[in-house]
C-alpha cells in the first residue's frame, strides 16, 4: 500500500537531483562489484584516498566545462591549456630553463591563474564576440597551446623544485576535515530548508511538496557523505589538499550556476537561445564570462598536475579533454546545452576513475579500460538523447 506514496515522493524530486541520485546508485554498485573482485582492497581507506587524488584534476575541469556546455558550447583545448599553464608555472621557478622569477608558491599560483584567465578570455572573445564556433576556436587553441608548451621548453620537462608538490602530496588533518564537513552539512541543510519553503509557496495545494523529498533526503545523503569522508580521513592520512581545492571549486561553481542570475542565464541560453535573446539576455557577455572562468580552472588543474607529477611536462594532458567531456556527459550534462550540474559532472568523473582504478587493481590491461570508458560514454549520450526526445 506504500508504493504509491513512494512514487509520489520520487515524482516531487527535481529531475536533475533524481538523475544525480541514480548516478550515485550506479557508482555505489560499481564500488561493491570491485570490492568483491579485489578481495576488499578497493574500498580500503588508502585506495579511496588514492582514487580521490587521481580524480581531482579531471573533476576540477569537469566542474568548469559544465559552465561551457550548458549554454551550448564545447571546449577541446583543455589538455593543451592545462599543460601550457603547468609549464608556465614551472618556468616561473626554474632559473636555468625559465625565468627564475620567484620561489613563493602563492605568487606562482596567482600568476598562473591570471594566465589561465587570459587564455579563457581569448577563447571567449572569439566565441562570443567574433561568432566563431567554439569547436573551431578551442581546436585551434588545442594545437597552438600544445605547440607553445613544446616550444618554450624545447620539448623537455621543467622542474618547479618541489614548490608545488604540496598541492597533490600534502594532507589536511582529520580534525580539520571533520570541522569542514560539519560546516558544509550545516550550510547545505539551511539552504535546502529555505529552498523547500520557497517552493512550497508556489506548489499545488492538492499536491504539497514533500519535505523529505525536497530537503530531508538530500541532506541525509550529504550527511552520509560527510561521515564517509571524515571516516576515511581519520583512517588514513587526512584529506588531500587537491580534494580540498576540488571541494572549493564545486561549491563556488554550484553557487554560480544555481544561485545567481549569471547561472540562470546560462541555462536559458542553452535551453532556448532565441528566447534568451528576446528576454533581453546578453548571451555574448555571459558566454564570454563562462569561458573566462573556465580559463582559471585550466590553471588550477595545471598547478595540481605539476604538484602530482613533480615536474611540468609539455606533453601532459593529451586527450584530457575527452575524459573531462565524458565525465560531464555521464554526469547528466547535455551535449545540446541547457542541462547539467557541477556535482553531476564530478560524480561522472568519479565513476570513470573508479572503473580505471578498479580494473587497475585487477591488473586488467589499460586497453580494456579505454573500451569500458568508451562504452559508458556511449550509453550516457544515448540516455541523454532519449531523455530529450521524451521531453525530459
Amino acid at each position: 500500500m506504500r508504493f504509491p506514496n513512494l512514487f509520489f515522493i520520487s515524482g516531487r524530486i527535481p529531475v536533475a537531483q533524481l538523475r544525480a541520485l541514480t548516478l550515485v546508485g550506479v557508482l555505489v554498485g560499481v564500488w561493491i562489484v570491485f570490492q568483491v573482485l579485489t578481495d576488499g582492497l578497493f574500498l580500503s581507506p588508502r585506495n579511496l584516498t588514492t582514487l580521490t587524488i587521481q580524480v581531482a584534476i579531471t573533476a576540477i575541469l569537469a566542474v568548469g566545462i559544465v559552465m561551457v556546455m550548458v549554454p551550448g558550447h564545447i571546449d577541446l583545448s583543455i589538455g593543451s591549456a592545462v599543460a601550457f599553464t603547468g609549464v608556465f608555472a614551472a618556468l616561473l621557478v626554474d632559473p636555468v630553463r625559465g625565468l627564475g622569477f620567484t620561489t613563493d608558491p602563492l605568487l606562482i599560483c596567482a600568476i598562473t591563474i591570471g594566465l589561465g584567465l587570459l587564455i579563457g578570455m581569448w577563447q571567449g572573445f572569439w566565441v562570443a564576440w567574433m561568432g566563431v564556433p567554439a569547436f573551431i576556436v578551442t581546436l585551434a587553441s588545442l594545437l597552438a597551446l600544445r605547440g607553445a608548451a613544446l616550444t618554450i621548453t624545447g620539448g623537455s620537462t621543467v622542474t618547479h623544485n618541489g614548490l608545488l608538490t604540496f598541492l597533490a602530496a600534502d594532507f589536511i588533518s582529520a580534525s580539520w576535515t571533520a570541522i569542514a564537513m560539519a560546516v558544509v552539512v550545516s550550510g547545505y541543510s539551511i539552504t535546502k530548508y529555505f529552498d523547500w519553503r520557497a517552493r512550497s509557496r508556489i506548489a499545488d495545494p492538492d499536491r504539497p511538496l514533500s519535505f523529505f523529498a525536497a530537503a530531508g533526503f538530500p541532506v541525509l545523503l550529504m550527511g552520509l557523505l560527510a561521515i564517509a569522508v571524515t571516516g576515511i580521513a581519520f583512517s588514513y592520512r587526512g584529506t588531500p589538499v587537491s580534494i580540498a581545492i576540488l571541494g572549493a571549486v564545486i561549491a563556488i561553481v554550484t553557487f554560480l550556476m544555481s544561485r545567481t542570475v549569471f547561472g540562470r542565464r546560462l541555462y536559458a541560453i542553452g535551453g532556448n537561445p532565441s528566447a534568451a535573446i528576446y528576454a533581453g539576455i546578453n548571451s555574448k557577455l555571459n558566454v564570454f564570462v563562462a569561458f573566462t572562468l573556465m580559463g582559471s580552472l585550466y590553471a588550477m588543474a595545471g598547478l595540481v598536475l605539476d604538484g602530482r607529477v613533480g615536474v611540468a611536462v609539455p606533453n601532459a594532458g593529451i586527450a584530457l579533454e575527452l575524459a573531462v567531456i565524458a565525465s560531464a556527459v555521464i554526469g547528466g550534462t547535455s551535449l545540446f546545452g541547457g542541462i547539467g550540474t557541477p556535482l553531476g559532472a564530478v560524480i561522472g568523473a568519479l565513476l570513470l576513475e573508479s572503473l580505471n582504478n578498479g580494473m587497475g587493481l585487477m591488473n586488467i590491461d589499460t586497453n580494456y579500460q579505454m573500451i569500458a570508458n568508451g562504452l559508458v560514454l556511449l550509453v550516457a549520450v544515448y540516455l541523454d538523447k532519449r531523455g530529450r526526445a521524451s521531453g525530459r
Side-chain angles (χ1 to χ4, degrees):
M1 296 296 293
R2 295 187 178 183
F3 285 109
N5 292 333
L6 291 176
F7 286 125
F8 171 75
I9 290 174
S10 66
R12 307 297 289 168
I13 299 177
V15 174
Q17 182 175 302
L18 193 58
R19 285 200 59 168
L21 293 176
T22 302
L23 189 60
V24 168
V26 173
L27 179 63
V28 171
V30 169
W31 283 10
I32 292 173
V33 170
F34 279 130
Q35 177 72 354
V36 173
L37 295 178
T38 59
D39 296 324
L41 180 60
F42 184 81
L43 292 181
S44 64
R46 178 172 183 174
N47 187 63
L48 287 177
T49 301
T50 300
L51 175 62
T52 57
I53 294 174
Q54 290 172 340
V55 81
I57 294 172
T58 303
I60 288 172
L61 295 164
V63 169
I65 203 171
V66 172
M67 293 187 293
V68 173
M69 293 177 67
V70 162
H73 298 286
I74 199 70
D75 188 348
L76 302 179
S77 68
I78 293 173
S80 297
V82 168
F84 182 76
T85 54
V87 164
F88 176 82
L91 288 174
L92 291 175
V93 179
D94 195 331
V96 177
R97 302 183 62 83
L99 302 175
F101 176 70
T102 180
T103 57
D104 183 348
L106 295 181
L107 183 57
I108 294 169
C109 293
I111 295 174
T112 304
I113 291 173
L115 173 66
L117 288 170
L118 290 176
I119 294 173
M121 291 173 67
W122 171 254
Q123 297 192 142
F125 167 77
W126 283 100
V127 174
W129 303 112
M130 302 304 292
V132 180
F135 180 91
I136 300 300
V137 172
T138 57
L139 178 60
S141 294
L142 179 153
L143 299 172
L145 291 174
R146 181 70 65 185
L150 291 169
T151 299
I152 62 178
T153 61
S156 303
T157 59
V158 184
T159 180
H160 50 74
N161 295 331
L163 293 177
L164 301 175
T165 304
F166 74 98
L167 292 171
D170 286 4
F171 289 77
I172 298 172
S173 70
S175 299
W176 280 110
T177 299
I179 294 172
M181 288 296 97
V183 172
V184 168
V185 173
S186 299
Y188 185 74
S189 302
I190 294 171
T191 299
K192 297 305 291 185
Y193 171 73
F194 282 107
D195 280 351
W196 170 75
R197 285 190 59 183
R199 293 175 57 201
S200 295
R201 295 192 185 102
I202 60 175
D204 185 349
D206 295 330
R207 297 184 63 196
L209 185 63
S210 167
F211 174 79
F212 177 74
F217 188 55
V219 169
L220 175 62
L221 289 179
M222 179 61 72
L224 293 175
L225 175 63
I227 292 172
V229 170
T230 304
I232 294 171
F234 275 100
S235 300
Y236 192 52
R237 299 173 60 187
T239 300
V241 171
S242 58
I243 295 303
I245 294 172
L246 171 61
V249 170
I250 294 172
I252 293 171
V253 177
T254 298
F255 176 79
L256 289 174
M257 295 294 289
S258 63
R259 304 279 169 180
T260 66
V261 173
F262 167 71
R264 290 193 292 272
R265 287 175 175 172
L266 289 183
Y267 284 107
I269 294 168
N272 193 326
S274 298
I277 294 174
Y278 287 127
I281 295 175
N282 190 335
S283 299
K284 294 181 179 180
L285 178 60
N286 286 278
V287 169
F288 174 78
V289 172
F291 273 94
T292 300
L293 294 176
M294 183 65 193
S296 68
L297 298 183
Y298 298 151
M300 288 185 186
L303 290 165
V304 174
L305 182 61
D306 280 2
R308 180 177 169 184
V309 177
V311 293
V313 184
N315 276 322
I318 292 178
L320 179 58
E321 55 276 350
L322 301 182
V324 171
I325 294 171
S327 298
V329 173
I330 291 169
T333 301
S334 175
L335 289 168
F336 307 99
I339 299 172
T341 62
L343 183 58
V346 172
I347 299 173
L350 187 57
L351 177 58
L352 281 182
E353 194 57 50
S354 295
L355 291 173
N356 294 334
N357 180 275
M359 288 188 286
L361 291 175
M362 296 171 62
N363 294 319
I364 296 176
D365 192 275
T366 55
N367 295 331
Y368 292 103
Q369 297 178 28
M370 294 173 64
I371 292 172
N373 290 339
L375 292 175
V376 170
L377 175 60
L378 181 62
V379 172
V381 174
Y382 170 74
L383 293 176
D384 173 60
K385 186 174 179 62
R386 283 290 302 272
R388 286 224 165 215
S390 61
R392 180 185 57 196

